[in-house]
């Protein structure tokens, strides 16, 4: 007898025992008890119903720390505080942020619509318009200028502005 036939025969025998055992116990449970066995309790089926496995309890995840409150602007709504190339101000739709002439940047146009902030940046040779979401920790870099808009808890848009040359003395200036 070949190994293949032996394997097939073995598999068939196992299947017959398994299904025969299930079918036999099911038939025995369904068969009426003979009159002399009326005094005895019915025989238990050979196959017990499967208990559903109990899932171990999932460990509790530690609570996430509360989101830190978005702080208000250090310079309030005073856009003139940005003239020196460093400020933290509340902006509104239609505002313009003017830097001192030494930075060589035209007034920065600001348009605010919800958390979306559009900055219009220009100098003598370049022009850029960029749109960022103030609720997503966005940062804009342009010609040494960095703009970081953010939302406060009460829905105001605050822009942190800094220029790489802020605080540096220019030659010939005192």
């Amino acid at each position: 007898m070949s190994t293949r036939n032996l394997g097939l025969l073995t598999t068939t025998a196992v299947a017959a025992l398994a299904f025969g055992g299930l079918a036999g116990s099911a038939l025995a449970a369904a068969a009426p008890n003979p009159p002399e066995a009326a005094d005895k309790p019915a025989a238990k089926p050979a196959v017990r119903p499967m208990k559903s496995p109990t899932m171990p309890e999932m460990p509790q995840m530690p609570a996430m720390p509360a989101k830190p409150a978005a702080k208000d602007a250090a310079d309030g709504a005073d856009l003139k505080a940005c003239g020196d190339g460093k400020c933290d101000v509340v902006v509104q739709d239609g505002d313009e942020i003017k830097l001192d002439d030494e930075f060589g940047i035209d007034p920065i146009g600001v348009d605010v619509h919800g958390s979306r902030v559009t900055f219009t940046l220009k100098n003598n040779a370049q022009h850029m318009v960029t749109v960022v979401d103030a609720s997503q920790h966005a940062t804009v870099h342009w010609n040494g200028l960095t703009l970081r808009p953010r939302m406060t808890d009460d829905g105001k848009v605050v822009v942190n502005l800094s220029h790489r040359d802020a605080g540096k003395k220019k030659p010939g200036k005192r």
Side-chain angles (χ1 to χ4, degrees):
M1 183 180 266
S2 74
T3 310
R4 182 175 176 191
N5 289 339
L6 182 59
L8 183 60
L9 182 61
T10 306
T11 304
T12 306
V14 169
L17 282 174
F19 290 119
L22 289 176
S25 63
L27 288 174
N33 291 337
E36 66 272 357
D39 301 358
K40 296 181 185 176
K44 292 182 182 178
V47 177
R48 294 183 197 150
M50 278 185 56
K51 292 182 181 178
S52 63
T54 56
M55 296 295 290
E57 280 190 38
M58 296 296 290
Q60 292 292 327
M61 296 297 290
M64 295 296 290
K67 178 181 167 186
K71 63 179 184 166
D72 289 330
D75 296 313
D78 182 15
L79 297 179
K80 291 180 182 178
C82 297
D84 65 354
K86 190 167 177 73
C87 64
D88 192 56
V89 294
V90 174
V91 293
Q92 297 177 3
D93 191 41
D95 280 349
E96 283 192 340
I97 301 173
K98 178 149 175 42
L99 300 176
D100 293 343
D101 291 338
E102 67 188 63
F103 295 106
I105 298 174
D106 290 349
I108 301 165
V110 180
D111 291 315
V112 178
H113 299 284
S115 65
R116 189 181 74 199
V117 183
T118 304
F119 294 108
T120 304
L121 305 152
K122 297 186 239 179
N123 67 11
N124 292 336
Q126 298 172 332
H127 179 223
M128 180 177 85
V129 177
T130 186
V131 180
V132 294
D133 188 342
S135 67
Q136 299 296 317
H137 305 289
T139 301
V140 176
H141 297 281
W142 185 72
N143 286 346
L145 183 68
T146 301
L147 301 166
R148 290 185 183 94
R150 68 179 186 277
M151 297 287 292
T152 62
D153 290 336
D154 59 355
K156 294 177 185 171
V157 175
V158 175
V159 174
N160 181 281
L161 178 146
S162 61
H163 194 282
R164 69 174 168 233
D165 295 333
K168 295 181 183 177
K169 291 186 178 185
K170 298 287 183 183
K173 301 249 180 185
R174 292 189 182 228

